[in-house]
Amino acid sequence: MATLKDVARMANVDVSTVSRAINNTSYVHPDTKARILASVKELGYQPNVIAQSLRQGKRHTIGVVVPRLHMTVFAEIMQGIEEEARRLGYATLICNTEDDSKTERECLTRLRNGFVDGIIIAGTGHNGRLLRDIRSSGLTITQILRQQDTTLSSVIVNYENCGYEATKYLESRGCREIGLINGTMKIAPYQERYNGYHRALKELGLSETSAISSSPVNSLEYGYQCALDLLEQNPNLDAIMAAVDVQGIGAMRALKEQGIKVPEQIRLISLTGHIIGGMLETTMTSMEMPAHEMGLKAALMTIRDIESPTEPKTPPQHLVFTSSLVERESS
């Protein structure tokens, strides 16, 4: 493997001149620089990115910690993050946790001890102290979708309004027995969606039917089991709100197996819309969030903080998006 010295020898210059030419740290005569770059190409020289990063104090890499990418809104968010990071000269490292706090802690520790300048996380809420410690050590932290700690920057959606508006919408369609497939209240969006749902029911004088399963929350199995639980709790159910699309798909399967038609007998709506909802055999009504734009903003916010010359870093920023109702066949 070619070294910096090999390039210098071929170009007939000092090693320091090669370094300046490659890194653009100071002026090198155009003819000399052209000769150096020609030697780099001929020898196939590859700079030591890790050593270079350590010298510069920047790795130009962001770690992204999410529960799951497959069939979730996090896939669209991740595309936005990667697109903006690449535009700004940063790479991304992705960790999937399946919402397991131990796995999350291991991911955060590896990222902290590895080569990242900042972390974007959709957290479980169980590693707040570790996140604050990482932030105090100088790494940038941005929460995406889940604001578990107000001392850390975040890019989120108004989930309470989402749950509230979806419930009011279903009531306007004639529904009186509205069930909610939710997740653990320890994760902020699930608590906030429930708050909106509960507030709307109270205003409308309706009773609550909600379900939480032990399966991984971002899964078909979770939605399937919760739908069966809702039906067992309330045989008169006429609407189901699923926290995320993948749960809604699982719920739709459970309803079909029970011989219940959507939307004739039970209307179905997802509170976190994903592109897949519009491609189903019975397309799914959803509260759509601008996931790609949220990813772009999270990456931009993170990199701006990384590159901020101020110490200590800028105060936490909180960007809140709104969801919009997209009516489809399931309601």
Side-chain angles (χ1 to χ4, degrees):
M1 183 179 290
T3 66
L4 209 64
K5 289 183 179 179
D6 295 329
V7 175
R9 191 179 301 113
M10 176 172 281
N12 197 28
V13 295
D14 294 334
V15 170
S16 60
T17 306
V18 175
S19 179
R20 294 201 312 276
I22 293 174
N23 296 313
N24 291 312
T25 53
S26 61
Y27 177 78
V28 176
H29 191 280
D31 292 343
T32 304
K33 188 170 186 177
R35 193 165 71 249
I36 290 170
L37 294 179
S39 299
V40 166
K41 184 176 181 180
E42 184 173 340
L43 292 170
Y45 171 72
Q46 295 290 328
N48 187 328
V49 176
I50 293 177
Q52 198 176 68
S53 296
L54 290 173
R55 286 195 301 272
Q56 296 173 354
K58 289 283 189 298
R59 286 81 169 176
H60 290 93
T61 302
I62 298 170
V64 185
V65 182
V66 293
R68 173 186 281 201
L69 292 177
H70 180 59
M71 292 180 69
T72 72
V73 73
F74 292 110
E76 288 183 60
I77 287 174
M78 192 65 231
Q79 285 183 322
I81 290 173
E82 284 194 307
E83 182 180 312
E84 185 69 359
R86 192 182 306 115
R87 185 182 73 82
L88 296 171
Y90 280 71
T92 53
L93 294 175
I94 308 170
C95 298
N96 294 311
T97 67
E98 291 293 349
D99 270 329
D100 179 76
S101 58
K102 182 179 178 182
T103 303
E104 180 182 86
R105 184 166 60 251
E106 291 170 354
C107 290
L108 289 170
T109 301
R110 288 196 185 99
L111 291 173
R112 178 187 200 177
N113 296 332
F115 294 93
V116 300
D117 304 298
I119 296 171
I120 298 174
I121 180 170
T124 63
H126 292 281
N127 291 299
R129 182 178 297 179
L130 175 57
L131 284 168
R132 289 189 294 273
D133 189 44
I134 292 172
R135 174 61 177 165
S136 66
S137 71
L139 265 67
T140 293
I141 302 285
T142 302
Q143 301 169 101
I144 185 74
L145 279 190
R146 302 173 175 181
Q147 188 193 69
Q148 304 288 124
D149 189 332
T150 56
T151 68
L152 303 172
S153 293
S154 62
V155 178
I156 60 169
V157 167
N158 186 335
Y159 297 106
E160 181 167 343
N161 184 70
C162 179
Y164 178 84
E165 293 297 334
T167 306
K168 298 276 280 192
Y169 163 75
L170 288 169
E171 192 275 339
S172 75
R173 303 285 287 171
C175 300
R176 304 295 294 173
E177 302 290 340
I178 303 170
L180 172 66
I181 297 175
N182 206 25
T184 172
M185 299 294 191
K186 294 180 180 179
I187 296 178
Y190 296 113
Q191 175 68 65
E192 291 164 15
R193 288 189 193 99
Y194 173 80
N195 290 345
Y197 166 70
H198 183 75
R199 178 161 61 91
L201 290 178
K202 188 174 180 180
E203 288 180 10
L204 296 167
L206 304 179
S207 58
E208 173 189 324
T209 309
S210 60
I212 296 176
S213 169
S214 59
S215 304
V217 71
N218 285 290
S219 69
L220 298 166
E221 296 78 12
Y222 189 95
Y224 180 92
Q225 187 57 55
C226 283
L228 295 179
D229 291 347
L230 288 174
L231 290 170
E232 185 176 347
Q233 289 181 55
N234 186 354
N236 297 317
L237 210 65
D238 56 17
I240 292 177
M241 301 196 310
V244 296
D245 270 5
V246 69
Q247 295 174 359
I249 297 170
M252 200 174 289
R253 180 65 188 179
L255 294 173
K256 184 175 182 179
E257 288 184 3
Q258 295 296 311
I260 298 171
K261 294 181 179 180
V262 177
E264 290 86 352
Q265 293 170 273
I266 290 185
R267 299 183 190 274
L268 180 66
I269 182 172
S270 165
L271 300 181
T272 308
H274 181 258
I275 191 170
I276 194 171
M279 301 299 291
L280 302 173
E281 183 178 353
T282 301
T283 57
M284 187 157 47
T285 296
S286 63
M287 299 295 291
E288 302 270 342
M289 64 172 65
H292 186 266
E293 184 183 355
M294 292 175 71
L296 293 174
K297 293 294 185 182
L300 180 61
M301 184 185 294
T302 302
I303 292 169
R304 279 180 174 171
D305 190 66
I306 290 168
E307 298 186 346
S308 170
T310 61
E311 283 294 342
K313 295 289 188 180
T314 54
Q317 303 173 63
H318 303 293
L319 186 58
V320 182
F321 285 82
T322 56
S323 297
S324 56
L325 178 71
V326 178
E327 290 188 88
R328 299 191 180 100
E329 295 169 343
S330 69
S331 66

